[in-house]
Amino acid sequence: MSSGPTLDLSRSKLFIGGEWRHGRTGQTLPVINPATGEAFAYVADATVEDGLAALDAACTVQNSWAATPARVRADILARTYQSIIDRRHEFACLIADEMGKPWAEAQTEVDYSAGFFRWFAESAGRIHAEGQLGLEPGSKYHIAVSKRPVGPSLLITPWNFPLAMGARKIAPALAAGCTTVLKPAAQTPLTSLLLAQVLQEAGVPAGVINVVVTGNSRDLIAAIMKDQRTRKISFTGSTKVGKRLLAQAAQNVMNTSMELGGNAPLIVFDDADIEVALEGAFLAKLRNGGQSCVAANRIYVQTGIEAEFTAKFIERLAALRVGDPHDPNTVLGPLIDDKQRSTVHSLVTDAVTKGATCPIGGQIIEGAGYYYPATVLTDIPADAIIRKKEIFGPVAAIYTFNTELDVIDQANGTPYGLASYVFTQNLARALRVANAIDAGMTGINCGLISNPAAPFGGTKQSGLGREGGTEGLGAYQETKYTGIQL
Ligand code: SIN
């Protein structure tokens, strides 16, 4: 059983201008352990003024950070990568404590997160080497094209990947030369505060990264966005909140990156290798207890293989261990809070009341913590709410289909287009279906596609822009054209 490190109380404050500060009012917010339902730490609660102080700090050093040699920025990111790896245990403990993520997955999240610092350290060093100098067609003057940082950036991250979502935004922002204000979810602030400390120790100058935790997100974000010095917002969260932020961003024509909700289809054809499909579906559904925007929300199985697939999937779910996130054998931890658990349960009850079959799970686990069992639903009627909503819990909704065209139609029949998964041994079909699905990402015969080197993002109401990959750096850059007459 892993044990948590002693909490460093200096890190339970706001991180502004390189200093750990109490909030203006001295108020604090509790951090609840979802496995027990009890508070185990308290962090400073930022006011709107604290948020603006963080923006001031970011703006003050924007020019100097942008002028810092790219090689120096790259070296800082590389040191951050190494430090996160060296402190894997400490980060994983915080993630398990504040998010309820099972130990093995918490460690995987740490490595995934560190990978963003390594990936963008590698890109940072090349930034100025990639400019272009050409002649305009009439040979009258030169056209110089270079990249410059967008400027002070507001980064808003969710609770489901407390370290990875911050890493995916901070690493490219710093690589590009942007300064940042990070507002992590109030449920999971401790991981971000530890990351701020790691960044500071790695050499990030005061003011380049600021972290504000608040119980008043709406007002604090609105105030920072209203300020014309804020040049970029990168948000990961629900489509509903994303739409509101887009409307606010429009007021100042602000550069935006939006990673929003999903409703991922996972398609298993008759000709799939069933063991590969089961493994992929298990991962795509159960990773983080289904609390991910790339989680398989709708599992479509072709009629010829459906009975065998469903029976074997249920067998796997019945065998998995639910329990203490710190137990290395735990596969399914608690959900983030009681509200999330009630939402998941109400989707299940709605479907069952309307006629769905629930061969496993479906009942709230009584006792301490916000546990919900791995659940399967089949025969889901057309009017069940679960068909349209993002589940964000360990509930596998299984549907059947007959033909390729039929399943493509069903897969695309949603306003979302984030992740999708296809299982088949027919390569031509795999590529054809991947191409026909209107989603930003498709996994072929794999249930985990997240990777720092790949562009993560969605189409339709799943968002705008990409994070990670080559595109991830571009999200924090402007293209500058200079005409030069010699
Ligand atoms: C998310 O759920 O928002 C991100 C998951 C991932 O990066 O894999």
Side-chain angles (χ1 to χ4, degrees), residues 237-240 243 246 258-265 293 297-298 300 385-390 408-419 437-440 457-464 466:
S238 72
T239 297
K240 186 172 159 216
K243 286 179 183 178
L246 279 169
M258 294 278 149
E259 204 264 275
L260 308 177
N263 187 353
C293 50
N297 220 51
R298 299 168 289 152
Y300 294 107
I385 301 169
I386 203 163
R387 280 182 173 264
K388 300 215 154 43
K389 273 206 67 156
E390 190 172 23
I408 290 170
D409 260 8
Q410 293 193 59
N412 285 338
T414 150
Y416 301 99
L418 191 59
I437 294 179
D438 191 354
T459 60
K460 299 194 270 184
Q461 296 190 25
S462 285
L464 294 170
R466 296 292 180 268

Side-chain angles (χ1 to χ4, degrees), residues 221-291:
I221 291 169
I224 294 181
M225 289 184 72
K226 204 168 163 201
D227 192 312
Q228 293 193 17
R229 295 174 301 165
T230 308
R231 301 296 294 274
K232 162 105 199 170
I233 173 172
S234 177
F235 170 70
T236 296
S238 72
T239 297
K240 186 172 159 216
V241 175
K243 286 179 183 178
R244 193 180 78 226
L245 296 176
L246 279 169
Q248 287 173 231
Q251 299 310 309
N252 288 337
V253 194
M254 190 179 289
N255 182 314
T256 60
S257 294
M258 294 278 149
E259 204 264 275
L260 308 177
N263 187 353
L266 183 146
I267 303 170
V268 184
F269 284 97
D270 280 348
D271 61 8
D273 176 324
I274 191 154
E275 291 309 321
V276 171
L278 284 164
E279 183 59 30
F282 189 84
L283 205 53
K285 183 68 256 181
L286 270 302
R287 174 175 177 242
N288 207 21
Q291 299 172 107

Side-chain angles (χ1 to χ4, degrees), residues 397-475:
I398 301 183
Y399 306 88
T400 54
F401 70 94
N402 289 311
T403 68
E404 190 178 308
L405 282 180
D406 170 33
V407 78
I408 290 170
D409 260 8
Q410 293 193 59
N412 285 338
T414 150
Y416 301 99
L418 191 59
S420 53
Y421 307 89
V422 181
F423 290 84
T424 170
Q425 294 188 77
N426 177 335
L427 180 61
R429 164 181 276 165
L431 295 175
R432 197 165 59 231
V433 175
N435 196 39
I437 294 179
D438 191 354
M441 302 175 280
T442 303
I444 294 178
N445 294 326
C446 60
L448 179 61
I449 50 175
S450 308
N451 191 307
F456 188 106
T459 60
K460 299 194 270 184
Q461 296 190 25
S462 285
L464 294 170
R466 296 292 180 268
E467 295 190 298
T470 332
E471 288 86 346
L473 182 65

